[in-house]
Amino acid sequence: MKKMILIVAVIGCFSCSQSNSKMPHVLIKTEYGDIELELYPEKAPKTVASFLANIDAGIYKDVSFYRVLKNEDVPEEYNQGVIQGGVFRAKPELVPGLKKVEHESPKQTGLTHESGTISMARTTPGSATSEFFICIGDQKQFDSSSRGNSDGLGYAAFGKVVEGMKVVRKIQNKKSNGESFIYPVNISNIKKL
């Protein structure tokens, strides 16, 4: 009987780990450490497919985190906001040729902007290409609207940080001037795991 229980437990644990492995994982390699993401293609298929296609095309080699939202008056361990990165500052010549992805609103996907969420930056719905941001602390305002986007459709969340939030916070706390890092933080590559 004990052997049977052990076998069932082992099979149960194996099937649990198998279901988690369905989700693609990617690694953002930065000068301050690595950030591992889990992506949600079942909930945001077009956004995930676009992000992975950009990785396959190699556009995220030698790019940067260049934008930050934070409160200068809050100790760094409690600070909230976002860090934004992509090709915009490091390779602006690529931007006009990048394929736009159809907007997948949090209203459609059910994904919310909680701490660690990765989401696509955009101006109007359907204008996202390569720029993304990571939430530090819950940022539920991005589920529906934000400064400059009054359309109420929010931003397309498509995954979450599973390892490396300390790296995200370290990046957020680098010196900035307004919403721009004084020295953009190098992303040497983003690759699939």
Short mmCIF file of all heavy atoms in Angstrom, two decimals, residues 82-122:
data_model
loop_
_atom_site.label_atom_id
_atom_site.label_comp_id
_atom_site.label_asym_id
_atom_site.label_seq_id
_atom_site.Cartn_x
_atom_site.Cartn_y
_atom_site.Cartn_z
N VAL A 82 7.32 51.16 -12.73
CA VAL A 82 7.66 50.25 -13.83
C VAL A 82 9.06 50.56 -14.33
O VAL A 82 9.59 51.66 -14.12
CB VAL A 82 6.67 50.36 -15.03
CG1 VAL A 82 5.25 50.09 -14.62
CG2 VAL A 82 6.79 51.69 -15.75
N ILE A 83 9.66 49.57 -15.00
CA ILE A 83 10.83 49.81 -15.84
C ILE A 83 10.43 49.41 -17.25
O ILE A 83 9.73 48.42 -17.46
CB ILE A 83 12.10 49.05 -15.37
CG1 ILE A 83 11.88 47.54 -15.30
CG2 ILE A 83 12.57 49.61 -14.04
CD1 ILE A 83 13.16 46.74 -15.02
N GLN A 84 10.83 50.22 -18.22
CA GLN A 84 10.45 49.97 -19.61
C GLN A 84 11.70 49.79 -20.45
O GLN A 84 12.69 50.51 -20.29
CB GLN A 84 9.63 51.13 -20.16
CG GLN A 84 9.14 50.91 -21.59
CD GLN A 84 8.20 52.01 -22.05
OE1 GLN A 84 7.37 52.48 -21.28
NE2 GLN A 84 8.33 52.42 -23.29
N GLY A 85 11.64 48.83 -21.36
CA GLY A 85 12.78 48.57 -22.23
C GLY A 85 12.37 48.14 -23.61
O GLY A 85 11.19 48.04 -23.93
N GLY A 86 13.39 47.90 -24.43
CA GLY A 86 13.18 47.48 -25.81
C GLY A 86 14.22 48.12 -26.71
O GLY A 86 15.30 48.48 -26.26
N VAL A 87 13.86 48.30 -27.97
CA VAL A 87 14.81 48.78 -28.98
C VAL A 87 14.78 50.29 -29.17
O VAL A 87 15.66 50.85 -29.81
CB VAL A 87 14.57 48.09 -30.34
CG1 VAL A 87 14.60 46.58 -30.20
CG2 VAL A 87 13.27 48.53 -30.99
N PHE A 88 13.77 50.95 -28.65
CA PHE A 88 13.50 52.36 -28.96
C PHE A 88 14.72 53.27 -28.83
O PHE A 88 14.98 54.09 -29.70
CB PHE A 88 12.35 52.87 -28.08
CG PHE A 88 11.94 54.27 -28.36
CD1 PHE A 88 11.29 54.60 -29.54
CD2 PHE A 88 12.21 55.29 -27.46
CE1 PHE A 88 10.91 55.90 -29.81
CE2 PHE A 88 11.82 56.60 -27.72
CZ PHE A 88 11.17 56.90 -28.89
N ARG A 89 15.48 53.15 -27.74
CA ARG A 89 16.64 54.02 -27.54
C ARG A 89 17.92 53.46 -28.17
O ARG A 89 18.74 54.19 -28.68
CB ARG A 89 16.90 54.26 -26.05
CG ARG A 89 15.82 55.06 -25.37
CD ARG A 89 15.87 56.52 -25.79
NE ARG A 89 14.64 57.20 -25.52
CZ ARG A 89 14.43 58.04 -24.54
NH1 ARG A 89 15.39 58.33 -23.71
NH2 ARG A 89 13.26 58.61 -24.40
N ALA A 90 18.09 52.13 -28.08
CA ALA A 90 19.34 51.52 -28.53
C ALA A 90 19.40 51.31 -30.05
O ALA A 90 20.47 51.39 -30.64
CB ALA A 90 19.55 50.18 -27.82
N LYS A 91 18.25 51.03 -30.66
CA LYS A 91 18.21 50.73 -32.10
C LYS A 91 17.00 51.41 -32.75
O LYS A 91 16.13 50.75 -33.31
CB LYS A 91 18.13 49.22 -32.32
CG LYS A 91 19.29 48.43 -31.77
CD LYS A 91 19.07 46.95 -32.02
CE LYS A 91 20.21 46.12 -31.48
NZ LYS A 91 19.96 44.67 -31.68
N PRO A 92 16.91 52.73 -32.68
CA PRO A 92 15.72 53.42 -33.19
C PRO A 92 15.46 53.17 -34.68
O PRO A 92 14.32 53.27 -35.13
CB PRO A 92 16.00 54.89 -32.90
CG PRO A 92 17.47 54.99 -32.72
CD PRO A 92 17.91 53.67 -32.19
N GLU A 93 16.51 52.83 -35.42
CA GLU A 93 16.33 52.59 -36.85
C GLU A 93 15.46 51.35 -37.13
O GLU A 93 14.89 51.23 -38.21
CB GLU A 93 17.70 52.44 -37.54
CG GLU A 93 18.47 51.18 -37.20
CD GLU A 93 19.22 51.21 -35.86
OE1 GLU A 93 19.15 52.22 -35.13
OE2 GLU A 93 19.87 50.20 -35.54
N LEU A 94 15.34 50.45 -36.15
CA LEU A 94 14.50 49.26 -36.33
C LEU A 94 13.01 49.55 -36.19
O LEU A 94 12.18 48.83 -36.74
CB LEU A 94 14.88 48.18 -35.31
CG LEU A 94 16.24 47.52 -35.43
CD1 LEU A 94 16.40 46.45 -34.35
CD2 LEU A 94 16.42 46.90 -36.81
N VAL A 95 12.69 50.56 -35.42
CA VAL A 95 11.29 50.81 -35.03
C VAL A 95 10.32 50.89 -36.21
O VAL A 95 9.28 50.23 -36.20
CB VAL A 95 11.19 52.04 -34.11
CG1 VAL A 95 9.74 52.39 -33.80
CG2 VAL A 95 11.97 51.81 -32.82
N PRO A 96 10.61 51.66 -37.27
CA PRO A 96 9.63 51.77 -38.35
C PRO A 96 9.30 50.44 -39.05
O PRO A 96 8.19 50.27 -39.54
CB PRO A 96 10.29 52.73 -39.35
CG PRO A 96 11.31 53.47 -38.56
CD PRO A 96 11.77 52.53 -37.50
N GLY A 97 10.23 49.49 -39.05
CA GLY A 97 10.00 48.23 -39.75
C GLY A 97 9.41 47.12 -38.91
O GLY A 97 9.15 46.02 -39.40
N LEU A 98 9.17 47.39 -37.63
CA LEU A 98 8.65 46.34 -36.74
C LEU A 98 7.16 46.13 -36.94
O LEU A 98 6.40 47.08 -37.11
CB LEU A 98 8.95 46.69 -35.29
CG LEU A 98 10.44 46.70 -34.92
CD1 LEU A 98 10.63 47.24 -33.51
CD2 LEU A 98 11.03 45.31 -35.03
N LYS A 99 6.77 44.88 -36.89
CA LYS A 99 5.36 44.51 -37.07
C LYS A 99 4.56 44.86 -35.82
O LYS A 99 4.96 44.55 -34.69
CB LYS A 99 5.27 43.01 -37.36
CG LYS A 99 3.88 42.56 -37.70
CD LYS A 99 3.86 41.08 -38.05
CE LYS A 99 2.42 40.66 -38.32
NZ LYS A 99 2.33 39.22 -38.55
N LYS A 100 3.42 45.47 -36.03
CA LYS A 100 2.53 45.82 -34.92
C LYS A 100 1.69 44.60 -34.56
O LYS A 100 1.36 43.78 -35.41
CB LYS A 100 1.65 47.00 -35.30
CG LYS A 100 2.46 48.27 -35.52
CD LYS A 100 1.61 49.43 -35.95
CE LYS A 100 2.52 50.64 -36.17
NZ LYS A 100 1.80 51.77 -36.70
N VAL A 101 1.35 44.51 -33.28
CA VAL A 101 0.56 43.37 -32.81
C VAL A 101 -0.83 43.84 -32.41
O VAL A 101 -1.00 44.91 -31.82
CB VAL A 101 1.28 42.65 -31.64
CG1 VAL A 101 1.49 43.57 -30.46
CG2 VAL A 101 0.53 41.41 -31.22
N GLU A 102 -1.82 43.05 -32.79
CA GLU A 102 -3.20 43.35 -32.43
C GLU A 102 -3.33 43.41 -30.91
O GLU A 102 -2.81 42.55 -30.19
CB GLU A 102 -4.13 42.27 -32.99
CG GLU A 102 -5.59 42.56 -32.82
CD GLU A 102 -6.46 41.48 -33.44
OE1 GLU A 102 -6.08 40.94 -34.50
OE2 GLU A 102 -7.51 41.18 -32.85
N HIS A 103 -4.01 44.43 -30.40
CA HIS A 103 -4.09 44.64 -28.95
C HIS A 103 -4.95 43.58 -28.27
O HIS A 103 -6.07 43.30 -28.71
CB HIS A 103 -4.67 46.04 -28.68
CG HIS A 103 -4.69 46.39 -27.23
ND1 HIS A 103 -3.54 46.44 -26.46
CD2 HIS A 103 -5.71 46.70 -26.39
CE1 HIS A 103 -3.86 46.78 -25.22
NE2 HIS A 103 -5.16 46.94 -25.15
N GLU A 104 -4.40 43.00 -27.21
CA GLU A 104 -5.14 42.06 -26.36
C GLU A 104 -5.32 42.71 -24.99
O GLU A 104 -4.43 42.70 -24.16
CB GLU A 104 -4.38 40.73 -26.25
CG GLU A 104 -4.35 40.00 -27.58
CD GLU A 104 -3.50 38.73 -27.55
OE1 GLU A 104 -2.32 38.79 -27.12
OE2 GLU A 104 -4.02 37.69 -27.97
N SER A 105 -6.47 43.29 -24.80
CA SER A 105 -6.79 44.03 -23.58
C SER A 105 -6.90 43.10 -22.38
O SER A 105 -7.33 41.94 -22.53
CB SER A 105 -8.12 44.76 -23.79
OG SER A 105 -8.59 45.30 -22.57
N PRO A 106 -6.55 43.58 -21.19
CA PRO A 106 -6.79 42.78 -19.98
C PRO A 106 -8.26 42.36 -19.83
O PRO A 106 -8.54 41.33 -19.22
CB PRO A 106 -6.37 43.72 -18.85
CG PRO A 106 -5.31 44.58 -19.46
CD PRO A 106 -5.81 44.82 -20.87
N LYS A 107 -9.17 43.13 -20.43
CA LYS A 107 -10.59 42.75 -20.39
C LYS A 107 -10.81 41.44 -21.15
O LYS A 107 -11.68 40.66 -20.80
CB LYS A 107 -11.46 43.86 -20.99
CG LYS A 107 -11.49 45.12 -20.16
CD LYS A 107 -12.27 46.22 -20.85
CE LYS A 107 -12.21 47.50 -20.05
NZ LYS A 107 -12.93 48.60 -20.67
N GLN A 108 -10.02 41.20 -22.20
CA GLN A 108 -10.10 39.96 -22.98
C GLN A 108 -9.35 38.83 -22.31
O GLN A 108 -9.83 37.70 -22.27
CB GLN A 108 -9.48 40.15 -24.37
CG GLN A 108 -10.17 41.11 -25.29
CD GLN A 108 -9.30 41.33 -26.52
OE1 GLN A 108 -8.39 42.17 -26.50
NE2 GLN A 108 -9.57 40.59 -27.58
N THR A 109 -8.13 39.12 -21.86
CA THR A 109 -7.23 38.06 -21.40
C THR A 109 -7.44 37.66 -19.95
O THR A 109 -7.08 36.56 -19.55
CB THR A 109 -5.76 38.51 -21.55
OG1 THR A 109 -5.50 39.61 -20.67
CG2 THR A 109 -5.45 38.89 -22.99
N GLY A 110 -7.96 38.58 -19.14
CA GLY A 110 -8.09 38.32 -17.71
C GLY A 110 -6.79 38.52 -16.94
O GLY A 110 -6.74 38.33 -15.73
N LEU A 111 -5.73 38.93 -17.65
CA LEU A 111 -4.44 39.18 -16.99
C LEU A 111 -4.45 40.58 -16.39
O LEU A 111 -4.93 41.52 -17.03
CB LEU A 111 -3.29 39.03 -17.98
CG LEU A 111 -3.10 37.62 -18.55
CD1 LEU A 111 -2.07 37.63 -19.67
CD2 LEU A 111 -2.70 36.64 -17.46
N THR A 112 -3.91 40.71 -15.22
CA THR A 112 -3.90 41.98 -14.52
C THR A 112 -2.47 42.44 -14.25
O THR A 112 -1.56 41.62 -14.21
CB THR A 112 -4.73 41.88 -13.21
OG1 THR A 112 -4.84 43.18 -12.63
CG2 THR A 112 -4.12 40.93 -12.23
N HIS A 113 -2.29 43.71 -14.06
CA HIS A 113 -0.97 44.29 -13.85
C HIS A 113 -0.60 44.27 -12.37
O HIS A 113 -0.58 45.30 -11.70
CB HIS A 113 -0.91 45.70 -14.45
CG HIS A 113 -0.93 45.69 -15.93
ND1 HIS A 113 -2.08 45.56 -16.65
CD2 HIS A 113 0.08 45.76 -16.83
CE1 HIS A 113 -1.79 45.57 -17.95
NE2 HIS A 113 -0.48 45.68 -18.07
N GLU A 114 -0.27 43.07 -11.89
CA GLU A 114 0.21 42.93 -10.52
C GLU A 114 1.73 42.98 -10.55
O GLU A 114 2.34 43.00 -11.61
CB GLU A 114 -0.31 41.63 -9.92
CG GLU A 114 0.12 40.39 -10.68
CD GLU A 114 -0.60 39.13 -10.22
OE1 GLU A 114 -1.69 39.23 -9.63
OE2 GLU A 114 -0.05 38.05 -10.44
N SER A 115 2.32 43.01 -9.38
CA SER A 115 3.78 43.11 -9.30
C SER A 115 4.44 41.97 -10.07
O SER A 115 4.08 40.81 -9.90
CB SER A 115 4.24 43.10 -7.85
OG SER A 115 5.60 43.46 -7.78
N GLY A 116 5.39 42.32 -10.94
CA GLY A 116 6.10 41.33 -11.75
C GLY A 116 5.54 41.11 -13.13
O GLY A 116 6.15 40.45 -13.96
N THR A 117 4.37 41.67 -13.42
CA THR A 117 3.76 41.49 -14.74
C THR A 117 4.58 42.17 -15.82
O THR A 117 5.05 43.30 -15.63
CB THR A 117 2.32 42.06 -14.76
OG1 THR A 117 1.52 41.30 -13.84
CG2 THR A 117 1.69 42.01 -16.14
N ILE A 118 4.74 41.49 -16.96
CA ILE A 118 5.35 42.12 -18.14
C ILE A 118 4.21 42.42 -19.11
O ILE A 118 3.29 41.63 -19.29
CB ILE A 118 6.44 41.25 -18.80
CG1 ILE A 118 7.07 42.01 -19.98
CG2 ILE A 118 5.92 39.87 -19.20
CD1 ILE A 118 8.32 41.38 -20.54
N SER A 119 4.28 43.60 -19.72
CA SER A 119 3.21 44.09 -20.57
C SER A 119 3.82 44.88 -21.73
O SER A 119 4.95 45.37 -21.62
CB SER A 119 2.29 44.99 -19.74
OG SER A 119 1.09 45.28 -20.40
N MET A 120 3.07 44.98 -22.82
CA MET A 120 3.55 45.73 -23.98
C MET A 120 3.22 47.22 -23.83
O MET A 120 2.11 47.59 -23.47
CB MET A 120 2.91 45.21 -25.27
CG MET A 120 3.32 43.80 -25.63
SD MET A 120 5.10 43.56 -25.82
CE MET A 120 5.40 44.40 -27.36
N ALA A 121 4.22 48.06 -24.12
CA ALA A 121 4.00 49.50 -24.16
C ALA A 121 3.33 49.84 -25.50
O ALA A 121 3.55 49.16 -26.50
CB ALA A 121 5.32 50.24 -24.02
N ARG A 122 2.53 50.87 -25.50
CA ARG A 122 1.84 51.27 -26.73
C ARG A 122 1.40 52.72 -26.62
O ARG A 122 1.43 53.31 -25.54
CB ARG A 122 0.61 50.40 -26.97
CG ARG A 122 -0.49 50.63 -25.91
CD ARG A 122 -1.76 49.92 -26.29
NE ARG A 122 -2.83 50.11 -25.31
CZ ARG A 122 -3.73 51.08 -25.34
NH1 ARG A 122 -3.69 52.00 -26.29
NH2 ARG A 122 -4.68 51.17 -24.44
#
